[in-house]
Amino acid sequence: MSDPFDGVPAEVHHAEHGPPDGPAVVLSGSLGSDLTMWDPQVGPLVAAGFRVVRYDHRGHGASPVPPGPYRLADLAGDATALLDRLGVRRAHWVGLSLGGMVGMWLAAHRPERVGRLVLCCTSAAPGPAEGWTGRAAAVRAGGTEAVADAVVARWFTPGWRAADPARTARHRAVVAATPAEGYASCCEAIATMRLTDVLPRITAPTLVLSGAEDPATPPEHGERIARAVPGARLEVVAGAAHLGTAERPGRFTGAVLRHLEENP
């Protein structure tokens, strides 16, 4: 299969945890996040013996911000280059939202690099391109501060935000600190991606996790992925919106561990 990635990879910021000889698990986050979104998952994965690699997408967190627009293949190329630098030929992939889209791309185009696959609160077809290009234009004009409140309102249920305003504020601060060019260019990567046609190519054992109250990628998005990926399973987590790994960490982490520890 020819390589659709032909760009120069960005040397993305990452952190490693756990035994260096353990099975590698990559944690790939959402649009507008940084690698701290995975804080609840790191400890349990390390305790289970996994080598955990989490990273910031290009244009996010402490990663470089190349000029846009970006393609999903660019983001996947960054992740592949990171694994190459770390000497990891094959890794399990746990991705949420944008991170799940990158995981689907890799599992379809680079199946030898992906062991088991977990797709959290994500979509293979997340709405009209105009919505994403419009958001990109709004962020370039007003910065990520202009969209931070709306993003966090989609990430968490109203009850969770009211019950934990301090953590809500921390997540909002991460969104507002995301470079405008990085956020906007990743919006453009989502606008131009085409994943529905390649889902049947995925051979990695796949678990799809959806939040029952996710307004950004409702459970029907997960259902469509699970129907298209051969052998995939779907679980819908009650009481979770879009950033379900933070809102319902016990349920999401438990499901991830059960899937990663299943026998082939």
Side-chain angles (χ1 to χ4, degrees):
M1 186 184 301
S2 63
D3 188 352
F5 173 70
D6 57 5
V8 176
E11 191 165 329
V12 293
H13 173 68
H14 75 284
E16 286 190 83
H17 315 268
D21 58 347
V25 180
V26 176
L27 304 179
S28 183
S30 71
L31 176 69
S33 73
D34 65 13
L35 55 74
T36 63
M37 67 160 276
W38 296 106
D39 284 351
Q41 283 68 51
V42 171
L45 285 167
V46 168
F50 290 101
R51 176 187 180 186
V52 178
V53 178
R54 50 179 174 163
Y55 73 98
D56 296 330
H57 294 293
R58 62 165 64 192
H60 285 63
S63 286
V65 189
Y70 307 158
R71 300 170 302 146
L72 199 60
D74 296 322
L75 305 183
D78 296 343
T80 303
L82 171 62
L83 293 178
D84 288 345
R85 291 198 304 276
L86 299 177
V88 176
R89 296 304 306 164
R90 187 175 179 88
H92 303 310
W93 189 277
V94 181
L96 187 143
S97 192
L98 178 58
M101 297 169 195
V102 175
M104 286 183 274
W105 192 100
L106 281 172
H109 292 94
R110 289 288 175 269
E112 73 280 1
R113 305 306 297 263
V114 180
R116 303 183 79 86
L117 179 63
V118 184
L119 304 171
C120 305
C121 303
T122 192
S123 177
E130 294 78 10
W132 294 100
T133 55
R135 194 192 301 189
V139 167
R140 286 199 173 99
T144 46
E145 173 67 34
V147 300
D149 287 332
V151 169
V152 171
R154 291 191 296 270
W155 277 5
F156 303 109
T157 61
W160 191 90
R161 298 197 309 271
D164 203 334
R167 273 199 293 174
T168 300
R170 287 199 294 272
H171 284 286
R172 185 195 184 283
V174 172
V175 178
T178 303
E181 179 63 20
Y183 189 100
S185 294
C186 283
C187 286
E188 291 163 342
I190 296 171
T192 58
M193 76 174 196
R194 299 292 181 269
L195 287 172
T196 51
D197 291 345
V198 302
L199 294 180
R201 298 184 195 171
I202 294 176
T203 57
T206 300
L207 171 65
V208 183
L209 294 171
S210 293
E213 300 181 47
D214 183 356
T217 54
E220 52 263 32
H221 289 252
E223 291 167 5
R224 287 195 288 269
I225 294 170
R227 285 197 302 267
V229 175
R233 295 185 295 109
L234 171 69
E235 294 185 27
V236 179
V237 179
H242 192 55
L243 214 69
T245 50
E247 186 165 16
R248 292 289 180 265
R251 288 289 308 278
F252 273 80
T253 307
V256 168
L257 281 168
R258 287 191 296 273
H259 183 67
L260 296 186
E261 292 176 332
E262 283 181 0
N263 292 322

